[in-house]
Coordinates of all heavy atoms in Angstrom, one line a residue:
N671 N 25.3 216.3 -35.6 CA 25.0 216.2 -37.1 C 25.9 215.3 -37.8 O 26.3 215.6 -38.9 CB 24.9 217.6 -37.7 CG 26.3 218.3 -37.7 OD1 27.2 217.9 -36.9 ND2 26.5 219.3 -38.6
N672 N 26.2 214.1 -37.2 CA 27.2 213.2 -37.8 C 26.5 212.3 -38.8 O 26.5 211.1 -38.7 CB 27.9 212.4 -36.8 CG 27.0 211.8 -35.7 OD1 25.8 212.1 -35.7 ND2 27.6 210.9 -34.9
N673 N 25.9 212.9 -39.8 CA 25.3 212.2 -40.9 C 25.2 213.1 -42.1 O 25.3 214.4 -41.9 CB 23.9 211.6 -40.5 CG 23.0 212.8 -40.1 OD1 22.5 213.5 -41.0 ND2 22.8 213.0 -38.8
F674 N 25.0 212.6 -43.3 CA 24.9 213.4 -44.5 C 23.6 214.2 -44.6 O 23.5 215.0 -45.5 CB 25.2 212.6 -45.7 CG 26.6 212.5 -46.1 CD1 27.1 211.7 -47.2 CD2 27.6 213.3 -45.5 CE1 28.4 211.7 -47.5 CE2 28.9 213.3 -45.9 CZ 29.3 212.5 -46.9
G675 N 22.6 213.9 -43.8 CA 21.4 214.7 -43.8 C 21.6 216.0 -43.2 O 21.1 217.0 -43.6
D676 N 22.4 216.0 -42.1 CA 22.6 217.2 -41.4 C 23.9 217.9 -41.5 O 24.1 219.1 -41.2 CB 22.4 216.9 -39.9 CG 21.0 216.4 -39.6 OD1 20.0 216.9 -40.2 OD2 20.8 215.4 -38.8
Y677 N 25.0 217.2 -41.9 CA 26.2 217.8 -42.2 C 26.2 218.1 -43.7 O 26.1 217.2 -44.6 CB 27.4 216.9 -41.9 CG 28.8 217.4 -42.2 CD1 29.5 218.1 -41.2 CD2 29.3 217.3 -43.5 CE1 30.8 218.6 -41.5 CE2 30.6 217.9 -43.8 CZ 31.3 218.5 -42.8 OH 32.5 219.0 -43.1
H678 N 26.2 219.4 -44.1 CA 25.9 219.7 -45.5 C 27.1 219.9 -46.3 O 28.0 220.7 -46.0 CB 25.1 221.0 -45.5 CG 23.7 220.9 -44.9 ND1 23.0 221.9 -44.4 CD2 23.0 219.7 -44.6 CE1 21.8 221.5 -43.9 NE2 21.8 220.2 -44.0
V679 N 27.2 219.1 -47.3 CA 28.2 219.3 -48.4 C 27.5 219.8 -49.6 O 26.3 219.6 -49.8 CB 29.0 218.0 -48.7 CG1 29.8 217.5 -47.5 CG2 28.0 216.9 -49.2
P680 N 28.3 220.6 -50.4 CA 27.6 221.2 -51.6 C 27.1 220.1 -52.5 O 27.8 219.0 -52.7 CB 28.8 221.9 -52.3 CG 29.9 222.0 -51.3 CD 29.7 220.9 -50.3
V681 N 25.9 220.3 -53.1 CA 25.4 219.4 -54.1 C 25.4 220.2 -55.4 O 25.9 221.3 -55.5 CB 23.9 219.0 -53.7 CG1 23.9 218.2 -52.4 CG2 23.0 220.2 -53.6
H682 N 25.0 219.6 -56.5 CA 25.1 220.2 -57.8 C 24.5 221.6 -57.8 O 25.1 222.5 -58.4 CB 24.4 219.3 -58.9 CG 25.3 218.2 -59.4 ND1 25.5 217.0 -58.7 CD2 26.1 218.2 -60.5 CE1 26.4 216.3 -59.4 NE2 26.7 217.0 -60.4

Side-chain angles (χ1 to χ4, degrees):
N671 64 340
N672 50 350
N673 60 76
F674 268 173
D676 298 319
Y677 180 94
H678 294 161
V679 294
V681 297
H682 275 82

